[in-house]
Protein backbone atom coordinates (compact mmCIF):
# COMPACT_ATOMS: atom_id res chain seq x y z
CA UNK A 1 0.00 0.00 0.00
CA UNK A 2 2.82 2.41 0.95
CA UNK A 3 4.55 1.78 -2.40
CA UNK A 4 1.28 2.33 -4.29
CA UNK A 5 0.87 5.70 -2.60
CA UNK A 6 4.51 6.54 -3.44
CA UNK A 7 3.94 5.70 -7.12
CA UNK A 8 0.73 7.73 -7.26
CA UNK A 9 2.50 10.67 -5.63
CA UNK A 10 5.42 10.41 -8.05
CA UNK A 11 3.16 10.24 -11.10
CA UNK A 12 1.21 13.24 -9.84
CA UNK A 13 4.53 15.02 -9.36
CA UNK A 14 5.47 14.36 -12.99
CA UNK A 15 2.09 15.52 -14.28
CA UNK A 16 2.22 18.69 -12.20
CA UNK A 17 5.80 19.31 -13.29
CA UNK A 18 4.72 19.18 -16.91
CA UNK A 19 1.70 21.40 -16.31
CA UNK A 20 2.98 24.14 -14.08
CA UNK A 21 6.74 23.94 -14.30
CA UNK A 22 7.24 23.55 -10.55
CA UNK A 23 9.68 25.39 -8.36
CA UNK A 24 12.71 23.54 -9.73
CA UNK A 25 13.52 20.99 -12.43
CA UNK A 26 16.93 19.98 -13.76
CA UNK A 27 17.99 17.01 -15.85
CA UNK A 28 21.05 15.38 -14.34
CA UNK A 29 22.21 12.40 -16.44
CA UNK A 30 20.77 9.36 -18.28
CA UNK A 31 17.11 10.12 -17.49
CA UNK A 32 17.75 11.16 -13.87
CA UNK A 33 16.54 14.56 -12.71
CA UNK A 34 16.12 16.81 -9.69
CA UNK A 35 12.64 18.18 -9.10
CA UNK A 36 10.68 20.21 -6.57
CA UNK A 37 7.04 21.11 -7.14
CA UNK A 38 5.69 23.53 -4.54
CA UNK A 39 8.70 24.34 -2.37
CA UNK A 40 12.41 23.55 -2.58
CA UNK A 41 12.10 21.25 0.45
CA UNK A 42 10.23 18.89 -1.94
CA UNK A 43 13.52 18.34 -3.84
CA UNK A 44 13.90 14.73 -4.94
CA UNK A 45 15.96 12.66 -7.35
CA UNK A 46 13.80 10.87 -9.91
CA UNK A 47 14.14 8.88 -13.10
CA UNK A 48 12.04 9.20 -16.25
CA UNK A 49 12.19 7.18 -19.48
CA UNK A 50 9.18 7.75 -21.73
CA UNK A 51 6.05 6.80 -19.78
CA UNK A 52 8.07 5.05 -17.06
CA UNK A 53 9.01 7.19 -14.08
CA UNK A 54 10.02 6.50 -10.52
CA UNK A 55 11.21 8.45 -7.51
CA UNK A 56 14.69 7.32 -6.53
CA UNK A 57 15.63 9.44 -3.49
CA UNK A 58 12.84 11.34 -1.77
CA UNK A 59 12.89 14.79 -0.24
CA UNK A 60 14.82 16.63 0.82
CA UNK A 61 17.77 16.14 -1.55
CA UNK A 62 20.25 18.97 -1.05
CA UNK A 63 23.45 17.84 -2.82
CA UNK A 64 24.34 15.61 -5.77
CA UNK A 65 27.34 14.71 -7.86
CA UNK A 66 27.64 12.31 -10.77
CA UNK A 67 29.87 10.70 -13.34
CA UNK A 68 29.25 8.07 -16.05
CA UNK A 69 28.63 5.31 -13.49
CA UNK A 70 27.17 6.77 -10.30
CA UNK A 71 25.13 9.56 -8.78
CA UNK A 72 25.92 10.41 -5.18
CA UNK A 73 23.26 12.12 -3.09
CA UNK A 74 22.93 13.86 0.28
CA UNK A 75 19.46 14.11 1.78
CA UNK A 76 17.78 15.35 4.93
CA UNK A 77 14.77 13.05 5.50
CA UNK A 78 11.39 14.72 5.34
CA UNK A 79 7.96 13.37 6.21
CA UNK A 80 5.29 15.61 4.74
CA UNK A 81 4.00 18.03 6.03
CA UNK A 82 6.94 18.41 8.43
CA UNK A 83 10.11 20.26 7.45
CA UNK A 84 13.28 18.28 6.68
CA UNK A 85 15.11 16.87 9.69
CA UNK A 86 18.43 18.69 9.28
CA UNK A 87 19.89 16.86 12.27
CA UNK A 88 20.11 13.78 10.01
CA UNK A 89 22.05 13.55 6.76
CA UNK A 90 21.53 10.44 4.66
CA UNK A 91 23.88 9.48 1.85
CA UNK A 92 22.94 7.47 -1.24
CA UNK A 93 24.78 5.92 -4.16
CA UNK A 94 22.81 5.40 -7.37
CA UNK A 95 24.43 3.07 -9.95
CA UNK A 96 23.23 4.67 -13.20
CA UNK A 97 24.29 1.90 -15.58
CA UNK A 98 22.01 -0.62 -13.85
CA UNK A 99 18.49 -1.25 -15.12
CA UNK A 100 16.04 1.02 -13.30
CA UNK A 101 13.35 -0.88 -11.37
CA UNK A 102 9.79 0.21 -10.59
CA UNK A 103 10.59 -0.24 -6.89
CA UNK A 104 12.52 2.85 -5.72
CA UNK A 105 14.48 0.83 -3.13
CA UNK A 106 16.02 -1.29 -5.91
CA UNK A 107 17.58 1.76 -7.59
CA UNK A 108 19.89 2.98 -4.86
CA UNK A 109 22.29 2.03 -2.12
CA UNK A 110 21.25 3.73 1.10
CA UNK A 111 20.33 5.48 3.21
CA UNK A 112 23.88 5.39 4.55
CA UNK A 113 25.64 7.29 7.31
CA UNK A 114 28.69 9.31 6.29
CA UNK A 115 30.96 6.53 7.56
CA UNK A 116 29.02 3.82 5.68
CA UNK A 117 29.06 6.01 2.56
CA UNK A 118 32.86 6.34 2.65
CA UNK A 119 33.27 2.56 3.09
CA UNK A 120 30.78 1.73 0.28
CA UNK A 121 32.50 4.17 -2.09
CA UNK A 122 35.78 2.33 -1.53
CA UNK A 123 34.11 -1.08 -1.98
CA UNK A 124 32.62 0.06 -5.30
CA UNK A 125 35.84 1.73 -6.44
CA UNK A 126 34.23 5.16 -6.75
CA UNK A 127 36.95 7.75 -7.27
CA UNK A 128 37.45 10.57 -4.79
CA UNK A 129 37.19 12.89 -7.80
CA UNK A 130 33.40 12.31 -7.75
CA UNK A 131 32.23 15.09 -5.44
CA UNK A 132 28.99 16.87 -4.61
CA UNK A 133 29.03 19.44 -7.42
CA UNK A 134 25.40 20.55 -7.16
CA UNK A 135 24.63 21.85 -3.66
CA UNK A 136 21.49 23.72 -2.59
CA UNK A 137 22.90 25.71 0.33
CA UNK A 138 19.44 26.88 1.39
CA UNK A 139 18.48 23.22 2.00
CA UNK A 140 21.71 22.16 3.80
Amino acid sequence: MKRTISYIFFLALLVLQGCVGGVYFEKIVNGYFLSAIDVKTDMLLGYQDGDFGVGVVGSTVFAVGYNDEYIIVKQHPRKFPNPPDKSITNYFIVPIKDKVHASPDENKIGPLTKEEFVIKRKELGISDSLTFTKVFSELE
Side-chain angles (χ1 to χ4, degrees):
M1 179 67 168
K2 188 175 180 181
R3 283 190 179 163
T4 301
I5 292 170
S6 294
Y7 296 136
I8 291 169
F9 174 76
F10 181 73
L11 290 174
L13 176 86
L14 289 175
V15 168
L16 287 171
Q17 183 69 44
C19 295
V20 297
V23 172
Y24 188 87
F25 181 85
E26 180 180 353
K27 292 180 181 179
I28 299 296
V29 64
N30 293 358
Y32 288 90
F33 61 87
L34 290 170
S35 179
I37 293 300
D38 292 325
V39 292
K40 279 250 182 131
T41 55
D42 288 343
M43 189 72 66
L44 62 78
L45 176 72
Y47 175 82
Q48 179 73 35
D49 183 16
D51 291 336
F52 174 73
V54 65
V56 179
V57 177
S59 58
T60 298
V61 170
F62 68 90
V64 298
Y66 64 91
N67 62 21
D68 292 338
E69 298 181 62
Y70 297 99
I71 300 172
I72 55 174
V73 180
K74 284 189 198 179
Q75 173 230 48
H76 293 307
R78 178 176 183 235
K79 294 198 186 237
F80 185 81
N82 299 322
D85 185 348
K86 292 186 177 184
S87 70
I88 300 170
T89 298
N90 292 323
Y91 293 77
F92 296 86
I93 299 171
V94 180
I96 61 176
K97 292 203 175 198
D98 292 350
K99 181 181 181 217
V100 177
H101 297 271
S103 172
D105 292 336
E106 298 291 322
N107 298 313
K108 64 187 176 230
I109 301 165
L112 304 167
T113 64
K114 185 173 185 177
E115 295 77 20
E116 293 168 332
F117 175 72
V118 169
I119 291 167
K120 186 54 98 171
R121 278 183 74 127
K122 288 181 182 172
E123 285 176 12
L124 295 171
I126 300 173
S127 169
D128 289 339
S129 66
L130 176 55
T131 61
F132 295 98
T133 54
K134 182 78 173 170
V135 178
F136 298 92
S137 58
E138 69 273 25
L139 299 175
E140 271 188 294

